Amino acid sequence: PIICYLTEQHRQDDVDFLSVLSAIRKGEVEEVHLKHIHSRKSTLDKFPENITKLFSRNVNVDEVNTGMLHKIEAERKEFKMTSSGKESLVFGLKKGCLSTEVLRLKKGAVVMCPKNNPKERFVNGTLGTVMGYEEFSGFTIIKTKNGHSIVVAPMEWAVEENGKIRAQITQVPLRLAWAI
C-alpha cells in the first residue's frame, strides 16, 4: 500500500469557508470560525433565494425541487435512464446512483452534477443552471456557478467483472439542486 496525502482543495474556493472546514477537520475550531458560521446563519423568513438548501431527508429535498421546477413556466424535458444486465446488479447500480431514473428539467432549473467528468470540466457537486439543449443531440447545456457553459451528455455507471460489463445504467448525470 502507498499512503497519499491530499494537500489541495478543488471543490471550494471561499478562503474563509475553507478555513472553517480545515479547523473542524483538525479539531481546532476557534472563536473566529464560530463568528463566521454565525454570520452565515439565517432564519426561515430571511432565507436566501440563490443558495442550495440542505436537508437530512430526501422527502424534503424532493418536495422543494419539484415545487421549484413547477414554478418555472418553460417546457419540461424528460430524460429516462436505460439499463442492461442482471436485474439484481442493475438494482444495486440504481440505488447507488445519484441521478434519478426519470430526470425532469426545464430551462432555468438549478442542477448539480453527481458524477465526475474532467474532460467536460465538471465534478461531483458542480452546481449550475440549465440554459437550454443542443440543437442536434438534445443534450443539456448548463452554465456553472463559475460561469462555464458545458454540455452534459448521458454517462454510464457499470459493474465490471474480469474486464466484462455485467450490468450498466445510462443517464444524464444531473439532478435538481434547489435542495440537496
Side-chain angles (χ1 to χ4, degrees):
I2 298 173
I3 297 171
C4 299
Y5 294 96
L6 304 178
T7 59
E8 295 181 43
Q9 172 60 259
H10 293 280
R11 292 180 74 179
Q12 184 57 248
D13 57 5
D14 180 324
V15 176
D16 293 330
F17 187 56
L18 270 174
S19 173
V20 171
L21 291 177
S22 295
I24 291 170
R25 281 189 202 103
K26 294 175 187 175
E28 299 172 358
V29 177
E30 297 177 2
E31 188 64 31
V32 66
H33 303 115
L34 292 173
K35 283 182 181 177
H36 183 70
I37 291 170
H38 288 294
S39 74
R40 302 291 303 264
K41 186 178 173 183
S42 65
T43 58
L44 288 177
D45 61 324
K46 295 181 181 176
F47 213 70
E49 285 298 316
N50 61 345
I51 304 286
T52 299
K53 284 89 178 148
L54 301 176
F55 290 93
S56 58
R57 296 179 43 196
N58 285 333
V59 68
N60 302 115
V61 170
D62 294 342
E63 183 180 325
V64 170
N65 286 334
T66 301
M68 293 299 288
L69 187 67
H70 185 68
K71 288 180 182 180
I72 298 175
E73 294 190 17
E75 181 181 344
R76 186 175 80 180
K77 188 163 181 172
E78 287 190 355
F79 300 89
K80 294 183 180 177
M81 182 182 286
T82 60
S83 62
S84 63
K86 188 175 176 184
E87 191 174 324
S88 62
L89 294 175
V90 168
F91 177 78
L93 282 170
K94 288 179 179 180
K95 191 169 173 73
C97 177
L98 293 176
S99 286
T100 57
E101 286 192 54
V102 178
L103 175 64
R104 294 175 179 92
L105 297 176
K106 293 181 181 180
K107 188 175 177 181
V110 176
V111 293
M112 180 180 74
C113 303
K115 191 167 175 70
N116 295 331
N117 187 337
K119 181 182 169 204
E120 295 299 329
R121 299 170 54 192
F122 66 83
V123 296
N124 182 2
T126 297
L127 292 170
T129 303
V130 175
M131 302 307 291
Y133 308 94
E134 272 194 332
E135 185 177 342
F136 297 108
S137 69
F139 296 159
T140 307
I141 302 168
I142 69 167
K143 185 172 187 174
T144 64
K145 291 278 186 184
N146 61 6
H148 291 58
S149 288
I150 37 179
V151 176
V152 184
M155 293 179 73
E156 291 84 27
W157 288 258
V159 173
E160 287 187 40
E161 187 179 284
N162 298 324
K164 185 176 179 184
I165 295 176
R166 297 288 181 198
Q168 177 175 301
I169 58 174
T170 304
Q171 177 58 297
V172 176
L174 292 173
R175 63 180 296 126
L176 296 175
W178 285 282
I180 57 173

